[in-house]
Amino acid sequence: MKWYDKAIIYQIYPKSFQDTNDDGIGDLQGIIKRLDYIKNLGVNTIWLNPIFVSPQVDNGYDVSNYFAIDPSIGTTDDFEQLIKEVHKRKLHIILDLPINHTSDQHPWFKDAISNPNSIFKDYYIWDKGIDGHEPNNWGSFFGGSVWSKASENSDNYYFHLFDKKMPDLNWKNVEVQRSMADIAKFWIDKGVDGFRLDAFIHMAKANLSQMSLKEGKYPIDDTFYAKLPEVKQYLSGFVSEVKEQNPDTFLFGEASSADSHQAAEYTRPDEDECDVIVSSNNYGEIYDDDSPVKGFFQPRKFSLDRFKETFVDWESVLADISYPALTWGNHDVSRFVDRLNLPTTDPKLQKSLAMMMFLQRGIPIIYYGEEIGQHGLKYQSVDDFDDQRAVDLIANLCQQKFSDEDILNLLNEQDEMTARGPFQWDDSKYCGFSNVQPWNFAKQSPVDAANEVSDDDSMLSFYQKLLKLKSTPNFSQGNYRLLLTDKNILAYERTLGDEYAIVIINYSKDSVEYKLPTTKDLDVALANQDIDITDQTLKLEPWGCCALVKGDK
């Protein structure tokens, strides 16, 4: 068993965690300052969003130098101190590594653009225009075409799945493959314990002469640039080199659109693949099909039925292969307490959802602030949104005569930037994050860590108890079985040898009774209410939850 088989991950968005030099931007020294808080939460692994040198077109995912720390968040000395302090507390650290693309300010791309004989030309993907138009009609995830001209008078186009300032790498080129492995090895030598492989499912592209059959000027159609067969080949070569450097390196791949079978293909233990796959298909969401807003911003809500179906599938398919990633979200979506249109603001429901997700078989990933019940920022005007997808949506909905208020409410529920606000350390003007206005700031939710630390009934206290329970052998390594229940109840068993546990959630506004499926003597390991069990019948209040374990009697 590897150390990461029992990983409990805490995701930190460095720009928004803690500012120590009063420039409004979080920094590495801020993370060092808060390591004891992280340790006391009960996690054992820290994931940092990109910290490399970047023009910050996409908040660090556009890298211009993979071998240095962006000056806005610190120095190499700061990072080396962070590594030392993390390991001193017996924690692990993993870095976010964008491997599908670079910044257009990366020396490779700058040379490829400026030098006709550049050896870096083939590090990127190029094609000729057709009759003055792009090589094909594929759409970018950030809007518009995947193609941009190398220069105004050129008929040469380069490929970019995301922003035009983020050209895609050509993974067919063995020098690209070698270079990206060398980057990972450099940071392993610095003491890094693993990597999140950003957008790795997009490393391979289909025949560039193909046109999409979907409607629209630049339709998004990942048939042509996601999960193609060559991805496994490129991934395998990269992983084998990294694992040769350090076999204990943890690699979890971001595959936002992957289903359980694709996740299994990318995590097979008998092949050089990822150790865990993170997908956006695991939130138990259902979409409002009647909404005129489609795609990324389409309104959604939580469905217990969908959640059950999802994890029966993932737990079954991955049972003998790898662990599912257990998460309610990350920096690429709004916070789940806003996004999922939950039926109540009762904190008991948030506690129930945390237990529901994280005590399953799998690797928990907690997004910073989630453990205190932090909501997303609430912007006051549509003009406050400047990410490209939001700008495009605003223009589109204005044409459809949506009111500014309706557009603002939709964006505050769904836009990813709302999830990137400063961590709420206390109730001061800037939340204890900084003494100056943070880089991303708007109306905050009325919660903070300082108030919750000393409150035994707080969200933070519940998360600490929950993660302590998660770290026990049965909940970290045991088998998983979902039980048949009424529609408003979720129940699953965890077993490991003679150890037995059952988790029960009441997802409704009414009290319910649940007949326990065992005559074993059970003790309450954790609950968000007082527990009453009579004649094997458990009574749960509205939004109640409990984890019961076999007693010693």
Side-chain angles (χ1 to χ4, degrees):
M1 174 175 287
K2 298 287 191 180
W3 67 265
Y4 45 76
D5 290 331
K6 295 192 281 186
I8 300 175
I9 301 172
Y10 188 67
Q11 181 190 352
I12 293 176
Y13 202 71
K15 293 175 65 174
S16 299
F17 196 60
Q18 178 71 72
D19 173 23
T20 60
N21 63 354
D22 288 337
D23 62 357
I25 299 172
D27 45 53
L28 297 183
Q29 285 297 327
I31 297 170
I32 293 170
K33 177 180 178 180
R34 299 297 186 176
L35 283 177
D36 288 337
Y37 168 87
I38 295 168
K39 174 74 173 179
N40 290 335
L41 178 59
V43 303
N44 54 31
T45 305
I46 298 169
W47 153 27
L48 301 184
N49 285 101
I51 59 174
F52 313 116
V53 176
S54 167
Q56 301 294 321
V57 169
D58 189 27
N59 291 289
Y61 283 93
D62 51 316
V63 180
S64 56
N65 183 353
Y66 285 93
F67 297 101
I69 305 298
D70 194 86
S72 68
I73 62 169
T75 65
T76 299
D77 286 344
D78 292 332
F79 183 75
E80 290 174 350
Q81 182 186 354
L82 174 62
I83 289 282
K84 180 180 177 180
E85 293 296 325
V86 164
H87 289 162
K88 186 167 75 175
R89 290 166 175 79
K90 300 189 184 307
L91 301 172
H92 295 89
I93 188 166
I94 54 182
L95 299 185
D96 216 322
L97 185 62
I99 62 174
N100 174 72
H101 49 262
T102 71
S103 165
D104 66 350
Q105 297 305 301
H106 194 287
W108 296 341
F109 191 75
K110 291 175 75 172
D111 192 70
I113 285 283
S114 62
N115 180 3
N117 301 313
S118 173
I119 61 172
F120 297 110
K121 189 82 170 180
D122 196 43
Y123 272 48
Y124 298 92
I125 300 168
W126 306 84
D127 208 352
K128 293 284 187 183
I130 299 175
D131 298 328
H133 297 287
E134 296 88 353
N136 60 40
N137 67 338
W138 301 354
S140 159
F141 292 132
F142 280 21
S145 173
V146 297
W147 298 101
S148 287
K149 285 187 176 184
S151 64
E152 188 64 33
N153 299 320
S154 172
D155 196 32
N156 254 342
Y157 289 80
Y158 66 88
F159 187 99
H160 55 89
L161 265 183
F162 299 93
D163 192 275
K164 66 181 181 180
K165 293 182 177 295
M166 298 161 61
D168 279 39
L169 288 164
N170 175 21
W171 273 81
K172 289 183 179 181
N173 185 341
V174 294
E175 293 300 325
V176 168
Q177 299 171 27
R178 184 176 296 115
S179 295
M180 298 312 290
D182 286 345
I183 290 165
K185 289 187 225 179
F186 172 85
W187 291 104
I188 290 172
D189 286 344
K190 291 281 187 186
V192 169
D193 300 298
F195 302 94
R196 172 189 179 266
L197 304 182
D198 177 67
F200 84 92
I201 57 171
H202 302 300
M203 291 189 291
K205 278 76 177 177
N207 186 333
L208 301 180
S209 66
Q210 298 298 322
M211 292 286 181
S212 172
L213 299 179
K214 292 187 176 181
E215 295 181 359
K217 185 175 182 181
Y218 297 117
I220 294 175
D221 189 348
D222 64 5
T223 303
F224 300 106
Y225 38 71
K227 304 183 291 284
L228 295 174
E230 294 86 356
V231 168
K232 274 180 69 76
Q233 172 192 333
Y234 303 147
L235 179 64
S236 179
F238 175 86
V239 171
S240 64
E241 286 208 46
V242 169
K243 294 281 189 176
E244 183 178 347
Q245 183 86 350
N246 181 359
D248 287 333
T249 302
F250 176 38
L251 297 171
F252 78 98
E254 185 240 341
S256 59
S257 58
D259 60 28
S260 60
H261 295 277
Q262 291 159 342
E265 278 301 306
Y266 292 130
T267 57
R268 294 199 172 278
D270 57 339
E271 300 178 5
D272 289 318
E273 306 287 353
C274 293
D275 300 300
V276 170
I277 290 297
V278 179
S279 171
S280 298
N281 290 331
N282 290 3
Y283 304 143
E285 297 175 331
I286 56 173
Y287 289 82
D288 178 5
D289 290 334
D290 293 331
S291 172
V293 179
K294 304 300 181 184
F296 181 81
F297 293 99
Q298 188 170 354
R300 62 202 81 178
K301 66 180 179 179
F302 178 74
S303 163
L304 187 60
D305 284 343
R306 177 64 184 272
F307 186 90
K308 292 176 181 179
E309 292 167 2
T310 296
F311 278 98
V312 162
D313 175 31
W314 278 72
E315 295 284 6
S316 300
V317 172
L318 297 183
D320 298 317
I321 297 174
S322 62
Y323 286 107
L326 307 176
T327 178
W328 283 116
N330 54 51
H331 61 289
D332 278 335
V333 289
S334 56
R335 291 186 179 271
F336 80 97
V337 287
D338 305 309
R339 185 180 77 246
L340 296 183
N341 192 21
L342 298 175
T344 179
T345 58
D346 189 336
K348 282 171 58 178
L349 176 55
Q350 289 186 49
K351 294 175 182 178
S352 286
L353 291 173
M355 179 179 285
M356 179 190 299
M357 178 68 81
F358 298 131
L359 290 186
Q360 297 181 109
R361 176 184 175 274
I363 306 295
I365 305 174
I366 293 95
Y367 187 53
Y368 80 102
E370 180 183 313
E371 75 278 10
I372 61 172
Q374 183 169 329
H375 285 249
L377 299 175
K378 298 299 179 188
Y379 295 106
Q380 302 303 298
S381 167
V382 294
D383 295 332
D384 295 334
F385 292 87
D386 61 2
D387 53 303
Q388 189 57 52
R389 278 189 293 201
V391 171
D392 291 345
L393 177 78
I394 292 167
N396 179 267
L397 294 184
C398 283
Q399 288 181 350
Q400 297 183 50
K401 307 302 181 185
F402 276 68
S403 70
D404 282 356
E405 182 180 3
D406 287 342
I407 297 173
L408 180 63
N409 289 337
L410 176 66
L411 290 171
N412 276 333
E413 285 180 359
Q414 304 295 340
D415 190 74
E416 61 196 22
M417 289 305 295
T418 64
R420 301 175 183 180
F423 187 95
Q424 295 172 206
W425 294 106
D426 60 37
D427 62 359
S428 61
K429 182 177 182 181
Y430 297 127
C431 317
F433 167 79
S434 180
N435 292 315
V436 301
Q437 181 165 315
W439 71 279
N440 183 23
F441 194 64
K443 186 179 179 182
Q444 304 279 111
S445 50
V447 297
D448 64 77
N451 264 332
E452 297 195 17
V453 165
S454 57
D455 180 1
D456 191 56
D457 192 44
S458 67
M459 191 73 65
L460 177 58
S461 176
F462 187 84
Y463 262 77
Q464 289 172 321
K465 296 167 187 173
L466 180 68
L467 298 182
K468 183 177 181 180
L469 187 59
K470 177 65 180 181
S471 66
T472 60
N474 190 12
F475 281 110
S476 63
Q477 304 159 53
N479 296 318
Y480 168 97
R481 185 167 77 100
L482 185 73
L483 301 174
L484 287 174
T485 60
D486 294 340
K487 66 177 183 177
N488 291 327
I489 298 175
L490 177 140
Y492 56 84
E493 294 174 324
R494 301 297 311 273
T495 54
L496 182 67
D498 293 334
E499 296 187 48
Y500 174 87
I502 182 170
V503 175
I504 308 105
I505 312 292
N506 173 20
Y507 189 78
S508 77
K509 60 182 175 54
D510 301 312
S511 297
V512 299
E513 292 187 347
Y514 176 71
K515 186 75 172 179
L516 294 172
T518 177
T519 58
K520 300 176 189 289
D521 291 323
L522 300 175
D523 294 332
V524 179
L526 182 62
N528 67 355
Q529 64 168 79
D530 292 332
I531 295 300
D532 176 13
I533 301 176
T534 305
D535 297 329
Q536 279 185 257
T537 299
L538 167 71
K539 295 182 180 179
L540 283 178
E541 297 172 0
W543 320 115
C545 69
C546 68
L548 308 176
V549 300
K550 187 177 71 172
D552 297 327
K553 299 175 184 177

